[in-house]
Amino acid sequence: MDNHWKELLPVDRFQVYSSGRIQAEELKMVTLLYQPLVGAKAYSLYMTLFSENLNGATSHHTLMNQTQMNMQQIFEERKKLEAIGLLKTYRKRIEDDRIFIYELQPILKPEQFFQDDVLSVYLYGRLGKQRYLEVRNRFILTNETQDEYEDVTASFNDVFSSLHESEIRAATDSEIHQSISQNNHAENTEGNAPNFSEDDFDFNVLVRDLSSFIIPSEVLTESIRESIHRLAFIYQISPLEMSSIVQQAYFRDEQLTPYSLRQEVQRWYKIEKPGQLPRLSERRQKGNSVRKNEEELSPQEMMIKTFETISPRALLEKYSEGGRAASADLKLIDSIMFDQKLSAGVINVLIDYVLNTNDMKLIHAHVEKIASQWKRKKISSVREAMELAKAEHKSYQSFKQQKSKAGRPVQQKNVRKDKLPKWMATPKTDKESQQVSETDEKWLEEYLKGL
């Protein structure tokens, strides 16, 4: 989460402009179509800015009083409006002061909104099939210069992320595609759809995998490239998977259009991810802008990355050597995920810790007790969960040693020595680390391959 004080302060002044006249019917679209995507606070901020249009410059402190939001909230909700295509933000520095222009963007026409791969899919996920169809039918049936300012508008995938496919479920795999595909193509290009940065998808890998003899390079037009970025983001498709999809779409129709590509992606998704549906999530813990390549990650970082990306169900099935996870264990995971509101990554650490320290038994009462403790301690990341598990286990071992010294010695044959997860092992000296590095690398490779 970005800190607002680096980008925005209450004393900073702003002025609101509108890129075109916004009609009352368009405000209904903001209420019924955009509000489910950005939330009530971002919607409230938009309506406040709409009311401030052309009222002259004012401070953000006034905006805080008007919306009853603090500066951090205003900063985060503003970025949501930028990401969804409702707002553009421009900034200008005059000595030590910053002046902002908030430009309200034209609202997409209903036909455009429901043809947009990003907005329509996520609205369906938020509203559900019945409400989505009701809203869609309602709208479809009713018919100072910026050159001096720096464009600091957030892109869509800077703010939102597409959830892992194992974390979400849909009633049936075909309903969303049937519902969304009922619309005709939108021909009017007015209004702003969400824009995407290209950091999350390596287009060069896709191009290298596509043979120019099979698909001519001129087929990859600007609109096709944009569609590929959008669809890869929504459906979490890798460049190599997208390469195969592009080839299938091209061979099927002997041409490549955004619509045919979209249809092929939907066919692929129904086969590869049956019964699952993309949903919108705010991107958290953005971290450093420079990402490490996997080969640069330490074993500890690789483990953290694995816990963050795998689903708890998949982790349980990994320990079952490919067998199905027990329904009682899945109910337990559901319970702590919704009751304690722990993230999937933190739950993975909990599962790994309990299984390895309890002879591969997932003791429900023990899991619930640890989950409630971690919730009280406000554990929100995989790294925090791993550090706390290490500290708690060290404390427990120290307690057992003191108890053993104070009382009757415990016979060695009756003592069960805990088998700890690799990430809880005590760090070794440089000489020892060098000796076991190859073993650790082999273990980690096999472990991650199993996941």
Side-chain angles (χ1 to χ4, degrees):
M1 180 177 64
D2 296 334
N3 293 316
H4 74 85
W5 51 267
K6 297 178 182 178
E7 303 286 340
L8 189 64
L9 294 174
V11 295
D12 293 338
R13 301 181 69 78
F14 72 92
Q15 189 162 2
V16 181
Y17 293 94
S18 176
S19 180
R21 189 176 183 86
I22 299 177
Q23 306 293 335
E25 188 65 24
E26 293 175 315
L27 290 181
K28 289 183 182 179
M29 284 191 63
V30 175
T31 303
L32 296 177
L33 304 184
Y34 286 91
Q35 184 178 200
L37 303 181
V38 298
K41 288 183 178 179
Y43 170 74
S44 173
L45 177 60
Y46 177 87
M47 297 304 291
T48 303
L49 293 177
F50 174 76
S51 301
E52 289 284 346
N53 189 14
L54 300 178
N55 278 351
T58 186
S59 70
H60 283 83
H61 186 269
T62 303
L63 193 60
M64 291 170 62
N65 292 334
Q66 186 69 35
T67 60
Q68 290 299 293
M69 287 189 276
N70 59 41
M71 203 71 260
Q72 182 67 40
Q73 290 173 319
I74 288 177
F75 179 61
E76 292 176 1
E77 303 307 319
R78 188 198 83 188
K79 290 178 70 176
K80 292 180 188 178
L81 296 177
E82 296 169 357
I84 210 72
L86 292 177
L87 184 69
K88 276 198 171 184
T89 301
Y90 299 90
R91 179 180 60 202
K92 180 180 179 181
R93 293 183 181 273
I94 302 179
E95 297 180 352
D96 294 334
D97 296 330
R98 288 180 295 202
I99 302 175
F100 290 82
I101 285 181
Y102 294 146
E103 184 182 70
L104 302 176
Q105 296 301 294
I107 311 297
L108 288 172
K109 293 184 179 299
E111 295 83 0
Q112 293 175 300
F113 184 98
F114 288 105
Q115 277 296 313
D116 188 280
D117 294 308
V118 177
L119 300 178
S120 58
V121 169
Y122 288 139
L123 182 66
Y124 185 99
R126 288 288 169 90
L127 297 182
K129 177 185 177 182
Q130 188 60 39
R131 178 59 178 166
Y132 173 87
L133 292 176
E134 290 175 2
V135 173
R136 181 184 64 83
N137 290 336
R138 173 176 176 177
F139 283 102
I140 294 297
L141 294 177
T142 60
N143 286 327
E144 189 165 344
T145 68
Q146 297 173 358
D147 295 338
E148 300 177 6
Y149 290 81
E150 174 190 3
D151 188 343
V152 293
T153 305
S155 65
F156 188 88
N157 50 336
D158 287 336
V159 180
F160 298 107
S161 64
S162 198
L163 293 183
H164 192 275
E165 63 270 8
S166 60
E167 297 175 312
I168 45 184
R169 294 280 176 183
T172 62
D173 59 353
S174 60
E175 288 178 348
I176 182 170
H177 306 297
Q178 293 171 353
S179 302
I180 294 175
S181 299
Q182 290 173 3
N183 305 303
N184 294 325
H185 295 291
E187 297 180 358
N188 196 320
T189 57
E190 295 178 0
N192 281 354
N195 65 312
F196 288 79
S197 61
E198 300 184 1
D199 297 337
D200 295 336
F201 185 83
D202 193 339
F203 208 92
N204 291 329
V205 172
L206 180 147
V207 172
R208 284 197 298 268
D209 193 63
L210 289 175
S211 170
S212 59
F213 294 103
I214 300 174
I215 298 182
S217 58
E218 58 267 20
V219 169
L220 298 178
T221 63
E222 192 63 33
S223 63
I224 292 296
R225 285 173 171 263
E226 182 181 354
S227 297
I228 288 174
H229 280 295
R230 285 169 167 268
L231 294 167
F233 172 78
I234 298 170
Y235 295 98
Q236 294 291 279
I237 303 174
S238 70
L240 292 179
E241 289 173 328
M242 182 60 77
S243 170
S244 175
I245 293 170
V246 168
Q247 293 178 53
Q248 290 292 336
Y250 183 76
F251 293 146
R252 188 184 298 273
D253 301 328
E254 296 185 356
Q255 62 175 341
L256 195 61
T257 65
Y259 181 75
S260 65
L261 182 62
R262 175 184 170 192
Q263 293 294 97
E264 192 62 40
V265 166
Q266 292 175 355
R267 276 191 285 266
W268 173 87
Y269 195 82
K270 285 190 287 185
I271 295 172
E272 296 292 325
K273 310 288 192 299
Q276 297 172 3
L277 174 68
R279 285 182 60 192
L280 187 63
S281 170
E282 290 179 42
R283 187 181 290 274
R284 297 295 185 188
Q285 299 175 337
K286 185 176 178 182
N288 296 330
S289 58
V290 180
R291 296 187 176 94
K292 289 185 177 181
N293 294 325
E294 288 193 5
E295 59 267 19
E296 297 175 348
L297 297 177
S298 67
Q300 179 88 347
E301 290 171 326
M302 282 290 290
M303 187 62 64
I304 291 173
K305 181 178 179 181
T306 301
F307 282 142
E308 288 176 339
T309 54
I310 194 174
S311 71
R313 177 174 187 153
L315 183 62
L316 285 172
E317 291 177 347
K318 177 265 173 188
Y319 276 113
S320 301
E321 297 184 352
R324 283 193 174 187
S327 58
D329 292 343
L330 293 178
K331 287 181 181 178
L332 172 67
I333 300 305
D334 269 354
S335 173
I336 61 177
M337 182 176 288
F338 287 100
D339 295 343
Q340 305 297 343
K341 293 181 171 58
L342 295 178
S343 69
V346 171
I347 293 174
N348 284 332
V349 177
L350 176 54
I351 293 172
D352 198 61
Y353 171 54
V354 173
L355 286 176
N356 280 282
T357 56
N358 289 277
D359 196 25
M360 290 295 125
K361 289 181 290 189
L362 200 64
I363 305 172
H364 289 204
H366 188 40
V367 172
E368 290 172 343
K369 185 176 180 180
I370 296 176
S372 61
Q373 179 205 21
W374 288 9
K375 177 62 178 178
R376 289 193 296 270
K377 286 182 172 287
K378 299 180 180 178
I379 300 300
S380 59
S381 70
V382 169
R383 192 180 297 274
E384 291 173 348
M386 293 169 71
E387 292 301 322
L388 180 59
K390 289 179 184 178
E392 291 290 337
H393 187 76
K394 185 177 180 181
S395 176
Y396 176 65
Q397 292 299 318
S398 176
F399 169 75
K400 283 204 305 184
Q401 289 177 1
Q402 292 176 1
K403 188 175 180 180
S404 177
K405 290 178 181 179
R408 183 181 299 176
V410 180
Q411 294 187 12
Q412 195 68 24
K413 65 178 182 179
N414 294 328
V415 176
R416 178 178 62 81
K417 188 174 182 181
D418 291 337
K419 180 183 177 182
L420 298 179
K422 285 284 184 178
W423 50 268
M424 290 188 67
T426 305
K428 298 180 172 16
T429 63
D430 292 342
K431 186 176 181 180
E432 291 173 324
S433 297
Q434 188 174 0
Q435 293 173 349
V436 301
S437 61
E438 291 184 4
T439 304
D440 282 347
E441 287 179 7
K442 184 177 180 181
W443 172 86
L444 182 61
E445 182 180 349
E446 292 298 322
Y447 181 88
L448 296 178
K449 187 184 294 181
L451 297 184

